[in-house]
Amino acid sequence: MCDDRERLIGYVYEECDPAERREIEAHVASCDTCRVEIDGLRAVRTDLLAWDVPEHESVWRPFVQPRVTPSWRDIPVWALAAAASLLLVAGLAGGALTELLLHRSHDAVLTGGPVATVQTAGVSQNDLTELQKRIITMMRSELETRERVQAPAVRTAQVVPVSTGPTDQLAQEIDQIRRSQAEFSRTVSADMNNIMNKINERSVTPISFSGVERR
Amino acid sequence: MTGTDEELVARATAGDLESFNQLVSRWERPIYALAYRTLGREEDARDVVQEAFLRAYRGLKGFKGQAKFSSWLYRITLNLCRDWIRKERRAPIVQVPEGTDPVDLADAQASPTESVEELVSRREMSRAVSKAMAELPEEQRTAILLKEYHGLTFQEIADMLQCPLSTVKTRLYQGLSVLRRRLERQQSEEASLRRATFESGH
């Protein structure tokens, strides 16, 4: 027992089974060497408690969950088209209204004098027409890109004759979305032309959605 | 939102960063204590703690729960400390703030239940222990740190250090025996010094 240091350590740290514990206690009661050894180990354990760790502030800068913001590429083409159209309409209507209120006299309207190009807050009609063309080009490009991406999936769905599962359903859904997009574009275009007509009826400077002046 | 370590680990692995933050706030103090007592210098301990948690985060997917999360963290920390000591090519440091009078320190930190004399005595012992521990072989020091200050079982230490149970007990016994002799010698030397100072003053 006196040479079995592992057992003494187990006893000091109270990690021995009850039978072993009783055996060690019986031995220690009659062995001064082991008793002194155990007392010494317990004393040094008490000394170890004095070792402080200095107070410190947290060193960890917490992680922050990134906010999920959609990329503009994730926005459907029809939504981009609608947003662009609304912006354009708002800009044109604002320009025309300002022109009416600030820069043209009532007489000029009646006599139908020389027609000046709309120039409001530094933005001319040509600028707006150019902007419109660029937006349309951008939307077409985006639409073509999306069609190229979608096309293989559609073709795959079409060439598999016996497929009646999710692939067919996917193809139908894609067709449905494309039909909806086309319908929506037609509706937006018609609405915008209506708005343009109404603006032109009240404006000396005829403008149209297509960028062609009307006399 | 709280939970066991295992639940937080599962959520953090699935991408919930807040769960990982909670794990950090739960384990930062023990991990810092282990790093500080192993390295002996606060700024080194801070660097190691930060790196340990970053490594833990990066390795979460590889943590399969074969050990407790805390044991895994302890192992990462000890490995980092070992690398740190090797890189610095030095033994652990006994940090004593420059120009600090123990009595001044005691005035600032005395708790209501502890007299200034008791606090000074405790701080002297703290310094003596850190000095004696710094002189121990790394294996013995690590075993004592994990057992005394982190309450790991013999088996957990053996698993973490990948050594037999009997080796853990031997390291503990040898380490404590060496500490005991050194602390007794230091206390004896300090007592002689105090006696000599007292006698020279009279």
Side-chain angles (χ1 to χ4, degrees), chain A residues 5-6 9-10 13 15 36-37 40-41 44-45 47-48 50-60 62-66, chain B residues 15 17 20-21 24 28 32 36-37 42 46 49-50 53 57 122 125-126 129-130 133 147-149 153-154 166 173 176 180:
Chain A
R5 305 304 184 193
E6 285 182 25
I9 277 290
Y13 282 108
E15 270 195 61
V36 169
E37 190 71 19
L41 291 172
V44 77
R45 288 194 66 201
D47 291 343
L48 287 174
W51 192 7
D52 285 332
V53 173
E55 286 296 319
H56 69 283
E57 299 205 343
S58 175
V59 300
W60 184 250
F63 285 142
V64 178
Q65 200 86 34
Chain B
L17 298 179
F20 190 77
N21 289 336
V24 174
E28 186 179 352
Y32 179 86
Y36 173 76
R37 288 188 172 116
E42 291 180 56
R46 279 197 290 270
V49 169
Q50 210 160 36
F53 282 115
Y57 180 73
R122 184 163 61 82
M125 177 57 79
S126 175
V129 169
S130 71
M133 284 286 283
K147 188 67 192 161
E148 289 293 337
Y149 300 104
T153 64
F154 295 144
S166 58
Y173 177 80
L176 290 180
R180 178 184 163 194

Short mmCIF file of all heavy atoms in Angstrom, two decimals, chain A residues 5-6 9-10 13 15 36-37 40-41 44-45 47-48 50-60 62-66, chain B residues 15 17 20-21 24 28 32 36-37 42 46 49-50 53 57 122 125-126 129-130 133 147-149 153-154 166 173 176 180:
data_model
loop_
_atom_site.label_atom_id
_atom_site.label_comp_id
_atom_site.label_asym_id
_atom_site.label_seq_id
_atom_site.Cartn_x
_atom_site.Cartn_y
_atom_site.Cartn_z
N ARG A 5 1.26 4.72 -5.13
CA ARG A 5 0.90 6.14 -5.14
C ARG A 5 -0.39 6.41 -5.90
O ARG A 5 -1.12 7.36 -5.59
CB ARG A 5 2.04 6.97 -5.76
CG ARG A 5 3.39 6.76 -5.09
CD ARG A 5 3.30 7.03 -3.62
NE ARG A 5 4.60 6.93 -2.97
CZ ARG A 5 4.79 6.87 -1.65
NH1 ARG A 5 3.74 6.88 -0.85
NH2 ARG A 5 6.00 6.80 -1.14
N GLU A 6 -0.65 5.58 -6.89
CA GLU A 6 -1.88 5.79 -7.68
C GLU A 6 -3.12 5.67 -6.79
O GLU A 6 -4.08 6.42 -6.92
CB GLU A 6 -1.98 4.76 -8.80
CG GLU A 6 -1.04 5.05 -9.96
CD GLU A 6 -1.20 4.04 -11.06
OE1 GLU A 6 -2.28 3.43 -11.16
OE2 GLU A 6 -0.23 3.83 -11.80
N ILE A 9 -3.47 8.77 -4.62
CA ILE A 9 -4.01 9.90 -5.40
C ILE A 9 -5.51 9.75 -5.59
O ILE A 9 -6.28 10.71 -5.45
CB ILE A 9 -3.27 10.01 -6.76
CG1 ILE A 9 -1.97 10.78 -6.58
CG2 ILE A 9 -4.11 10.68 -7.82
CD1 ILE A 9 -2.16 12.27 -6.29
N GLY A 10 -5.96 8.54 -5.90
CA GLY A 10 -7.39 8.28 -6.05
C GLY A 10 -8.13 8.58 -4.75
O GLY A 10 -9.23 9.17 -4.77
N TYR A 13 -8.22 12.48 -4.13
CA TYR A 13 -9.20 13.15 -5.01
C TYR A 13 -10.59 12.51 -4.93
O TYR A 13 -11.48 12.89 -5.71
CB TYR A 13 -8.70 13.14 -6.46
CG TYR A 13 -7.64 14.19 -6.73
CD1 TYR A 13 -6.31 13.83 -6.92
CD2 TYR A 13 -7.97 15.54 -6.78
CE1 TYR A 13 -5.34 14.78 -7.17
CE2 TYR A 13 -7.01 16.50 -7.02
CZ TYR A 13 -5.69 16.13 -7.22
OH TYR A 13 -4.74 17.09 -7.45
N GLU A 15 -11.67 9.68 -5.80
CA GLU A 15 -12.08 8.98 -7.03
C GLU A 15 -11.72 7.50 -6.92
O GLU A 15 -11.04 6.94 -7.78
CB GLU A 15 -11.40 9.59 -8.26
CG GLU A 15 -12.19 10.70 -8.90
CD GLU A 15 -11.70 11.06 -10.29
OE1 GLU A 15 -11.74 10.20 -11.19
OE2 GLU A 15 -11.27 12.22 -10.47
N VAL A 36 1.11 10.93 6.68
CA VAL A 36 1.85 12.17 6.42
C VAL A 36 1.80 12.52 4.94
O VAL A 36 1.63 13.68 4.55
CB VAL A 36 3.32 12.01 6.90
CG1 VAL A 36 4.18 13.17 6.40
CG2 VAL A 36 3.38 11.93 8.41
N GLU A 37 1.92 11.49 4.12
CA GLU A 37 1.87 11.71 2.67
C GLU A 37 0.52 12.30 2.24
O GLU A 37 0.46 13.27 1.49
CB GLU A 37 2.12 10.37 1.95
CG GLU A 37 2.33 10.50 0.47
CD GLU A 37 3.67 11.14 0.13
OE1 GLU A 37 4.56 11.16 0.98
OE2 GLU A 37 3.78 11.66 -1.00
N GLY A 40 0.13 15.84 3.42
CA GLY A 40 0.94 16.75 2.60
C GLY A 40 0.29 17.03 1.26
O GLY A 40 0.25 18.19 0.79
N LEU A 41 -0.29 16.01 0.64
CA LEU A 41 -0.97 16.21 -0.65
C LEU A 41 -2.19 17.10 -0.48
O LEU A 41 -2.46 17.99 -1.30
CB LEU A 41 -1.38 14.85 -1.24
CG LEU A 41 -0.24 13.95 -1.72
CD1 LEU A 41 -0.76 12.56 -2.10
CD2 LEU A 41 0.50 14.56 -2.89
N VAL A 44 -1.03 20.78 -0.02
CA VAL A 44 -0.62 21.46 -1.25
C VAL A 44 -1.83 21.77 -2.13
O VAL A 44 -1.87 22.79 -2.81
CB VAL A 44 0.47 20.65 -2.00
CG1 VAL A 44 -0.11 19.47 -2.75
CG2 VAL A 44 1.22 21.55 -2.97
N ARG A 45 -2.84 20.92 -2.06
CA ARG A 45 -4.08 21.22 -2.80
C ARG A 45 -4.72 22.49 -2.25
O ARG A 45 -5.26 23.30 -3.01
CB ARG A 45 -5.06 20.06 -2.69
CG ARG A 45 -4.65 18.82 -3.49
CD ARG A 45 -5.79 17.85 -3.62
NE ARG A 45 -6.87 18.42 -4.43
CZ ARG A 45 -8.11 18.02 -4.40
NH1 ARG A 45 -8.47 17.03 -3.57
NH2 ARG A 45 -9.02 18.57 -5.16
N ASP A 47 -3.09 24.96 -0.86
CA ASP A 47 -2.25 26.08 -1.33
C ASP A 47 -2.60 26.46 -2.77
O ASP A 47 -2.59 27.64 -3.14
CB ASP A 47 -0.77 25.71 -1.26
CG ASP A 47 -0.28 25.59 0.19
OD1 ASP A 47 -0.98 26.10 1.09
OD2 ASP A 47 0.78 24.99 0.40
N LEU A 48 -2.89 25.45 -3.58
CA LEU A 48 -3.18 25.72 -4.99
C LEU A 48 -4.41 26.62 -5.16
O LEU A 48 -4.54 27.33 -6.16
CB LEU A 48 -3.40 24.40 -5.75
CG LEU A 48 -2.15 23.56 -6.03
CD1 LEU A 48 -2.54 22.22 -6.65
CD2 LEU A 48 -1.20 24.30 -6.94
N ALA A 50 -5.03 29.23 -3.78
CA ALA A 50 -4.69 30.66 -3.68
C ALA A 50 -4.36 31.27 -5.04
O ALA A 50 -4.30 32.50 -5.16
CB ALA A 50 -3.49 30.85 -2.74
N TRP A 51 -4.13 30.44 -6.03
CA TRP A 51 -3.67 30.97 -7.33
C TRP A 51 -4.85 31.61 -8.09
O TRP A 51 -5.68 30.93 -8.67
CB TRP A 51 -3.05 29.85 -8.16
CG TRP A 51 -2.31 30.34 -9.37
CD1 TRP A 51 -2.04 31.63 -9.70
CD2 TRP A 51 -1.75 29.54 -10.39
NE1 TRP A 51 -1.34 31.68 -10.87
CE2 TRP A 51 -1.14 30.41 -11.32
CE3 TRP A 51 -1.68 28.16 -10.62
CZ2 TRP A 51 -0.49 29.95 -12.47
CZ3 TRP A 51 -1.04 27.70 -11.76
CH2 TRP A 51 -0.44 28.59 -12.67
N ASP A 52 -4.88 32.91 -8.05
CA ASP A 52 -5.97 33.66 -8.69
C ASP A 52 -5.71 33.87 -10.17
O ASP A 52 -4.56 33.92 -10.60
CB ASP A 52 -6.11 35.04 -8.05
CG ASP A 52 -6.76 34.95 -6.69
OD1 ASP A 52 -7.54 34.01 -6.48
OD2 ASP A 52 -6.47 35.82 -5.84
N VAL A 53 -6.79 34.08 -10.87
CA VAL A 53 -6.69 34.54 -12.27
C VAL A 53 -7.19 35.98 -12.29
O VAL A 53 -8.25 36.26 -11.74
CB VAL A 53 -7.57 33.66 -13.19
CG1 VAL A 53 -7.61 34.24 -14.60
CG2 VAL A 53 -7.05 32.24 -13.23
N PRO A 54 -6.42 36.90 -12.87
CA PRO A 54 -6.85 38.30 -12.87
C PRO A 54 -8.20 38.47 -13.56
O PRO A 54 -8.50 37.75 -14.51
CB PRO A 54 -5.76 39.02 -13.66
CG PRO A 54 -4.65 38.06 -13.79
CD PRO A 54 -5.17 36.69 -13.61
N GLU A 55 -8.96 39.40 -13.05
CA GLU A 55 -10.23 39.73 -13.71
C GLU A 55 -9.92 40.25 -15.12
O GLU A 55 -8.93 40.94 -15.34
CB GLU A 55 -10.97 40.80 -12.94
CG GLU A 55 -11.62 40.29 -11.65
CD GLU A 55 -12.71 39.27 -11.91
OE1 GLU A 55 -13.49 39.46 -12.86
OE2 GLU A 55 -12.76 38.26 -11.18
N HIS A 56 -10.76 39.91 -16.04
CA HIS A 56 -10.51 40.37 -17.40
C HIS A 56 -11.85 40.59 -18.10
O HIS A 56 -12.86 39.98 -17.75
CB HIS A 56 -9.70 39.35 -18.19
CG HIS A 56 -10.45 38.09 -18.47
ND1 HIS A 56 -10.66 37.11 -17.52
CD2 HIS A 56 -11.08 37.65 -19.58
CE1 HIS A 56 -11.36 36.13 -18.04
NE2 HIS A 56 -11.64 36.43 -19.28
N GLU A 57 -11.81 41.47 -19.06
CA GLU A 57 -13.01 41.68 -19.87
C GLU A 57 -13.07 40.61 -20.95
O GLU A 57 -12.04 40.02 -21.30
CB GLU A 57 -12.97 43.06 -20.51
CG GLU A 57 -12.92 44.16 -19.47
CD GLU A 57 -13.48 45.46 -20.00
OE1 GLU A 57 -13.59 45.60 -21.23
OE2 GLU A 57 -13.78 46.33 -19.17
N SER A 58 -14.24 40.42 -21.47
CA SER A 58 -14.39 39.41 -22.53
C SER A 58 -13.50 39.76 -23.72
O SER A 58 -13.40 40.91 -24.12
CB SER A 58 -15.85 39.34 -22.98
OG SER A 58 -15.96 38.45 -24.07
N VAL A 59 -12.85 38.74 -24.23
CA VAL A 59 -11.99 38.97 -25.39
C VAL A 59 -12.73 38.63 -26.69
O VAL A 59 -12.19 38.78 -27.78
CB VAL A 59 -10.69 38.12 -25.33
CG1 VAL A 59 -9.91 38.47 -24.09
CG2 VAL A 59 -11.01 36.64 -25.37
N TRP A 60 -13.95 38.17 -26.52
CA TRP A 60 -14.70 37.68 -27.70
C TRP A 60 -15.62 38.75 -28.23
O TRP A 60 -16.44 39.30 -27.50
CB TRP A 60 -15.52 36.45 -27.31
CG TRP A 60 -16.24 35.82 -28.46
CD1 TRP A 60 -17.58 35.83 -28.68
CD2 TRP A 60 -15.66 35.11 -29.54
NE1 TRP A 60 -17.86 35.15 -29.84
CE2 TRP A 60 -16.71 34.69 -30.39
CE3 TRP A 60 -14.35 34.77 -29.90
CZ2 TRP A 60 -16.48 33.96 -31.55
CZ3 TRP A 60 -14.14 34.04 -31.04
CH2 TRP A 60 -15.19 33.65 -31.85
N PRO A 62 -18.72 39.14 -30.25
CA PRO A 62 -19.73 38.17 -30.69
C PRO A 62 -19.98 38.21 -32.20
O PRO A 62 -19.93 39.26 -32.82
CB PRO A 62 -20.99 38.61 -29.92
CG PRO A 62 -20.49 39.41 -28.79
CD PRO A 62 -19.23 40.07 -29.25
N PHE A 63 -20.25 37.03 -32.72
CA PHE A 63 -20.64 36.94 -34.12
C PHE A 63 -21.98 37.63 -34.32
O PHE A 63 -22.84 37.60 -33.44
CB PHE A 63 -20.81 35.47 -34.53
CG PHE A 63 -19.52 34.73 -34.72
CD1 PHE A 63 -19.42 33.41 -34.31
CD2 PHE A 63 -18.42 35.32 -35.30
CE1 PHE A 63 -18.24 32.69 -34.50
CE2 PHE A 63 -17.24 34.63 -35.49
CZ PHE A 63 -17.16 33.31 -35.08
N VAL A 64 -22.16 38.21 -35.45
CA VAL A 64 -23.44 38.84 -35.78
C VAL A 64 -24.03 38.10 -36.97
O VAL A 64 -23.36 37.91 -37.98
CB VAL A 64 -23.26 40.33 -36.12
CG1 VAL A 64 -24.59 40.96 -36.51
CG2 VAL A 64 -22.64 41.05 -34.94
N GLN A 65 -25.28 37.67 -36.79
CA GLN A 65 -25.96 36.95 -37.88
C GLN A 65 -26.14 37.90 -39.07
O GLN A 65 -26.70 38.99 -38.90
CB GLN A 65 -27.33 36.47 -37.40
CG GLN A 65 -27.92 35.35 -38.22
CD GLN A 65 -27.43 33.98 -37.74
OE1 GLN A 65 -27.20 33.77 -36.58
NE2 GLN A 65 -27.27 33.07 -38.68
N PRO A 66 -25.64 37.53 -40.23
CA PRO A 66 -25.80 38.45 -41.37
C PRO A 66 -27.26 38.58 -41.77
O PRO A 66 -28.01 37.61 -41.72
CB PRO A 66 -25.00 37.77 -42.48
CG PRO A 66 -24.88 36.35 -42.08
CD PRO A 66 -24.96 36.30 -40.59
N GLY B 15 -25.67 26.78 -38.22
CA GLY B 15 -25.51 28.15 -38.71
C GLY B 15 -26.01 29.23 -37.77
O GLY B 15 -25.96 30.41 -38.11
N LEU B 17 -25.42 31.62 -35.28
CA LEU B 17 -24.24 32.24 -34.66
C LEU B 17 -24.49 32.62 -33.22
O LEU B 17 -23.57 32.60 -32.40
CB LEU B 17 -23.83 33.48 -35.47
CG LEU B 17 -23.42 33.21 -36.92
CD1 LEU B 17 -23.06 34.51 -37.61
CD2 LEU B 17 -22.26 32.24 -36.98
N PHE B 20 -23.53 29.97 -30.88
CA PHE B 20 -22.09 29.89 -30.65
C PHE B 20 -21.64 30.99 -29.69
O PHE B 20 -20.80 30.75 -28.82
CB PHE B 20 -21.31 29.98 -31.96
CG PHE B 20 -19.85 29.66 -31.77
CD1 PHE B 20 -19.44 28.35 -31.64
CD2 PHE B 20 -18.91 30.67 -31.68
CE1 PHE B 20 -18.10 28.05 -31.43
CE2 PHE B 20 -17.57 30.38 -31.47
CZ PHE B 20 -17.17 29.06 -31.35
N ASN B 21 -22.21 32.17 -29.83
CA ASN B 21 -21.90 33.24 -28.88
C ASN B 21 -22.20 32.82 -27.45
O ASN B 21 -21.46 33.13 -26.52
CB ASN B 21 -22.69 34.51 -29.22
CG ASN B 21 -22.20 35.18 -30.50
OD1 ASN B 21 -21.05 34.99 -30.89
ND2 ASN B 21 -23.06 35.93 -31.13
N VAL B 24 -19.57 30.57 -26.15
CA VAL B 24 -18.37 31.34 -25.79
C VAL B 24 -18.56 31.99 -24.43
O VAL B 24 -17.69 31.90 -23.56
CB VAL B 24 -18.07 32.42 -26.85
CG1 VAL B 24 -16.91 33.30 -26.39
CG2 VAL B 24 -17.73 31.77 -28.18
N GLU B 28 -15.91 31.03 -21.69
CA GLU B 28 -14.74 31.91 -21.85
C GLU B 28 -13.89 31.99 -20.59
O GLU B 28 -12.67 31.95 -20.65
CB GLU B 28 -15.20 33.32 -22.26
CG GLU B 28 -14.00 34.21 -22.57
CD GLU B 28 -14.40 35.61 -23.01
OE1 GLU B 28 -15.59 35.85 -23.22
OE2 GLU B 28 -13.49 36.44 -23.14
N TYR B 32 -10.09 30.96 -20.44
CA TYR B 32 -9.10 32.01 -20.17
C TYR B 32 -8.23 31.60 -18.98
O TYR B 32 -7.00 31.79 -19.00
CB TYR B 32 -9.81 33.34 -19.88
CG TYR B 32 -8.85 34.46 -19.56
CD1 TYR B 32 -8.28 35.21 -20.57
CD2 TYR B 32 -8.50 34.74 -18.23
CE1 TYR B 32 -7.38 36.23 -20.28
CE2 TYR B 32 -7.60 35.75 -17.94
CZ TYR B 32 -7.06 36.50 -18.96
OH TYR B 32 -6.16 37.50 -18.67
N TYR B 36 -4.34 31.30 -19.11
CA TYR B 36 -3.52 32.19 -18.27
C TYR B 36 -2.59 31.39 -17.37
O TYR B 36 -1.40 31.70 -17.23
CB TYR B 36 -4.43 33.08 -17.42
CG TYR B 36 -3.66 33.90 -16.42
CD1 TYR B 36 -2.95 35.02 -16.82
CD2 TYR B 36 -3.61 33.53 -15.07
CE1 TYR B 36 -2.21 35.76 -15.91
CE2 TYR B 36 -2.88 34.26 -14.16
CZ TYR B 36 -2.18 35.37 -14.59
OH TYR B 36 -1.43 36.09 -13.68
N ARG B 37 -3.14 30.34 -16.76
CA ARG B 37 -2.29 29.57 -15.84
C ARG B 37 -1.25 28.76 -16.59
O ARG B 37 -0.20 28.41 -16.04
CB ARG B 37 -3.16 28.65 -14.98
CG ARG B 37 -3.96 29.40 -13.93
CD ARG B 37 -4.65 28.45 -12.97
NE ARG B 37 -5.25 29.16 -11.85
CZ ARG B 37 -6.55 29.20 -11.61
NH1 ARG B 37 -7.40 28.56 -12.40
NH2 ARG B 37 -7.01 29.87 -10.57
N GLU B 42 -1.22 37.70 -19.30
CA GLU B 42 -2.60 38.00 -19.67
C GLU B 42 -2.78 38.21 -21.17
O GLU B 42 -3.73 37.70 -21.76
CB GLU B 42 -3.08 39.25 -18.92
CG GLU B 42 -3.25 39.01 -17.43
CD GLU B 42 -3.72 40.26 -16.70
OE1 GLU B 42 -4.76 40.80 -17.07
OE2 GLU B 42 -3.03 40.68 -15.77
N ARG B 46 -5.19 36.07 -23.64
CA ARG B 46 -6.29 36.65 -24.45
C ARG B 46 -6.19 36.21 -25.90
O ARG B 46 -7.18 35.82 -26.52
CB ARG B 46 -6.26 38.18 -24.36
CG ARG B 46 -6.89 38.73 -23.10
CD ARG B 46 -7.22 40.21 -23.27
NE ARG B 46 -6.01 41.01 -23.31
CZ ARG B 46 -5.41 41.54 -22.24
NH1 ARG B 46 -5.94 41.34 -21.05
NH2 ARG B 46 -4.32 42.26 -22.35
N VAL B 49 -7.16 32.54 -26.20
CA VAL B 49 -8.61 32.32 -26.03
C VAL B 49 -9.35 32.68 -27.32
O VAL B 49 -10.21 31.92 -27.80
CB VAL B 49 -9.15 33.16 -24.85
CG1 VAL B 49 -10.68 33.16 -24.84
CG2 VAL B 49 -8.63 32.62 -23.54
N GLN B 50 -8.99 33.80 -27.88
CA GLN B 50 -9.65 34.22 -29.12
C GLN B 50 -9.42 33.18 -30.23
O GLN B 50 -10.35 32.78 -30.92
CB GLN B 50 -9.08 35.56 -29.54
CG GLN B 50 -10.05 36.42 -30.29
CD GLN B 50 -9.61 37.87 -30.25
OE1 GLN B 50 -8.41 38.15 -30.30
NE2 GLN B 50 -10.54 38.79 -30.17
N PHE B 53 -11.43 29.87 -29.66
CA PHE B 53 -12.85 29.89 -30.03
C PHE B 53 -13.03 29.97 -31.55
O PHE B 53 -13.96 29.39 -32.09
CB PHE B 53 -13.58 31.02 -29.33
CG PHE B 53 -13.90 30.71 -27.90
CD1 PHE B 53 -13.33 31.41 -26.85
CD2 PHE B 53 -14.76 29.66 -27.59
CE1 PHE B 53 -13.62 31.11 -25.54
CE2 PHE B 53 -15.06 29.34 -26.28
CZ PHE B 53 -14.48 30.06 -25.24
N TYR B 57 -14.99 27.20 -33.66
CA TYR B 57 -16.09 27.51 -34.59
C TYR B 57 -15.82 26.88 -35.96
O TYR B 57 -16.71 26.27 -36.55
CB TYR B 57 -16.25 29.03 -34.74
CG TYR B 57 -17.35 29.38 -35.69
CD1 TYR B 57 -18.68 29.22 -35.34
CD2 TYR B 57 -17.07 29.84 -36.98
CE1 TYR B 57 -19.70 29.51 -36.22
CE2 TYR B 57 -18.08 30.13 -37.86
CZ TYR B 57 -19.39 29.97 -37.47
OH TYR B 57 -20.40 30.24 -38.35
N ARG B 122 -2.47 35.75 0.93
CA ARG B 122 -3.02 34.94 -0.16
C ARG B 122 -2.34 35.29 -1.49
O ARG B 122 -2.04 34.43 -2.30
CB ARG B 122 -4.53 35.15 -0.26
CG ARG B 122 -5.21 34.28 -1.32
CD ARG B 122 -6.71 34.23 -1.11
NE ARG B 122 -7.36 35.53 -1.20
CZ ARG B 122 -7.70 36.11 -2.35
NH1 ARG B 122 -7.44 35.50 -3.49
NH2 ARG B 122 -8.29 37.28 -2.35
N MET B 125 1.01 33.76 -1.62
CA MET B 125 0.88 32.33 -1.92
C MET B 125 0.54 32.12 -3.40
O MET B 125 1.06 31.21 -4.04
CB MET B 125 -0.21 31.71 -1.02
CG MET B 125 -0.46 30.24 -1.30
SD MET B 125 1.02 29.21 -1.13
CE MET B 125 1.10 29.05 0.65
N SER B 126 -0.32 32.98 -3.91
CA SER B 126 -0.70 32.88 -5.32
C SER B 126 0.54 32.99 -6.21
O SER B 126 0.74 32.20 -7.14
CB SER B 126 -1.70 34.00 -5.66
OG SER B 126 -1.99 33.99 -7.04
N VAL B 129 2.70 29.88 -5.80
CA VAL B 129 2.14 28.73 -6.53
C VAL B 129 2.40 28.88 -8.03
O VAL B 129 2.84 27.93 -8.70
CB VAL B 129 0.62 28.59 -6.26
CG1 VAL B 129 0.00 27.57 -7.21
CG2 VAL B 129 0.38 28.18 -4.82
N SER B 130 2.16 30.07 -8.56
CA SER B 130 2.35 30.24 -10.00
C SER B 130 3.82 30.03 -10.38
O SER B 130 4.12 29.45 -11.42
CB SER B 130 1.86 31.61 -10.46
OG SER B 130 2.72 32.63 -10.01
N MET B 133 4.47 26.26 -10.13
CA MET B 133 3.81 25.56 -11.24
C MET B 133 4.56 25.77 -12.56
O MET B 133 4.66 24.87 -13.38
CB MET B 133 2.36 26.06 -11.40
CG MET B 133 1.40 25.53 -10.35
SD MET B 133 0.96 23.80 -10.60
CE MET B 133 -0.21 23.93 -11.94
N LYS B 147 -7.10 19.00 -13.29
CA LYS B 147 -7.72 18.35 -12.12
C LYS B 147 -8.14 19.38 -11.07
O LYS B 147 -9.28 19.38 -10.60
CB LYS B 147 -6.73 17.35 -11.51
CG LYS B 147 -7.31 16.48 -10.42
CD LYS B 147 -8.34 15.56 -11.03
CE LYS B 147 -9.16 14.86 -9.95
NZ LYS B 147 -10.41 14.34 -10.50
N GLU B 148 -7.22 20.26 -10.72
CA GLU B 148 -7.47 21.17 -9.60
C GLU B 148 -8.41 22.32 -9.95
O GLU B 148 -9.23 22.72 -9.15
CB GLU B 148 -6.15 21.76 -9.09
CG GLU B 148 -5.28 20.76 -8.36
CD GLU B 148 -5.89 20.31 -7.04
OE1 GLU B 148 -6.74 21.02 -6.48
OE2 GLU B 148 -5.54 19.21 -6.60
N TYR B 149 -8.22 22.88 -11.14
CA TYR B 149 -8.95 24.12 -11.46
C TYR B 149 -10.13 23.89 -12.39
O TYR B 149 -10.95 24.79 -12.58
CB TYR B 149 -8.00 25.14 -12.07
CG TYR B 149 -6.87 25.50 -11.14
CD1 TYR B 149 -5.59 25.00 -11.35
CD2 TYR B 149 -7.08 26.31 -10.03
CE1 TYR B 149 -4.55 25.31 -10.48
CE2 TYR B 149 -6.05 26.63 -9.16
CZ TYR B 149 -4.78 26.12 -9.39
OH TYR B 149 -3.76 26.43 -8.53
N THR B 153 -12.26 14.52 -14.36
CA THR B 153 -11.96 13.23 -13.73
C THR B 153 -10.66 12.68 -14.32
O THR B 153 -10.18 13.15 -15.36
CB THR B 153 -13.08 12.21 -14.00
OG1 THR B 153 -13.13 11.98 -15.43
CG2 THR B 153 -14.44 12.73 -13.54
N PHE B 154 -10.10 11.69 -13.63
CA PHE B 154 -8.88 11.06 -14.15
C PHE B 154 -9.10 10.58 -15.58
O PHE B 154 -8.25 10.74 -16.46
CB PHE B 154 -8.48 9.86 -13.28
CG PHE B 154 -8.10 10.22 -11.87
CD1 PHE B 154 -8.44 9.38 -10.81
CD2 PHE B 154 -7.39 11.38 -11.58
CE1 PHE B 154 -8.09 9.70 -9.51
CE2 PHE B 154 -7.03 11.70 -10.27
CZ PHE B 154 -7.38 10.86 -9.23
N SER B 166 -3.38 5.41 -15.51
CA SER B 166 -2.33 5.32 -14.49
C SER B 166 -1.29 6.43 -14.69
O SER B 166 -0.73 6.95 -13.72
CB SER B 166 -1.64 3.95 -14.55
OG SER B 166 -1.10 3.76 -15.84
N TYR B 173 0.51 12.79 -8.94
CA TYR B 173 1.25 12.53 -7.69
C TYR B 173 2.62 13.20 -7.73
O TYR B 173 3.01 13.89 -6.78
CB TYR B 173 1.38 11.02 -7.45
CG TYR B 173 2.19 10.73 -6.23
CD1 TYR B 173 1.60 10.82 -4.96
CD2 TYR B 173 3.54 10.40 -6.31
CE1 TYR B 173 2.35 10.60 -3.82
CE2 TYR B 173 4.30 10.18 -5.18
CZ TYR B 173 3.69 10.29 -3.94
OH TYR B 173 4.44 10.07 -2.81
N LEU B 176 2.26 17.10 -7.63
CA LEU B 176 1.89 17.61 -6.30
C LEU B 176 3.04 17.46 -5.31
O LEU B 176 3.26 18.34 -4.46
CB LEU B 176 0.65 16.86 -5.79
CG LEU B 176 -0.68 17.16 -6.49
CD1 LEU B 176 -1.81 16.33 -5.87
CD2 LEU B 176 -1.02 18.63 -6.43
N ARG B 180 4.74 20.55 -3.43
CA ARG B 180 4.73 20.55 -1.96
C ARG B 180 6.11 20.90 -1.41
O ARG B 180 6.26 21.77 -0.54
CB ARG B 180 4.30 19.17 -1.48
CG ARG B 180 4.28 18.98 0.00
CD ARG B 180 3.92 17.53 0.28
NE ARG B 180 4.26 17.13 1.63
CZ ARG B 180 4.28 15.87 2.01
NH1 ARG B 180 4.03 14.90 1.14
NH2 ARG B 180 4.58 15.56 3.25
#
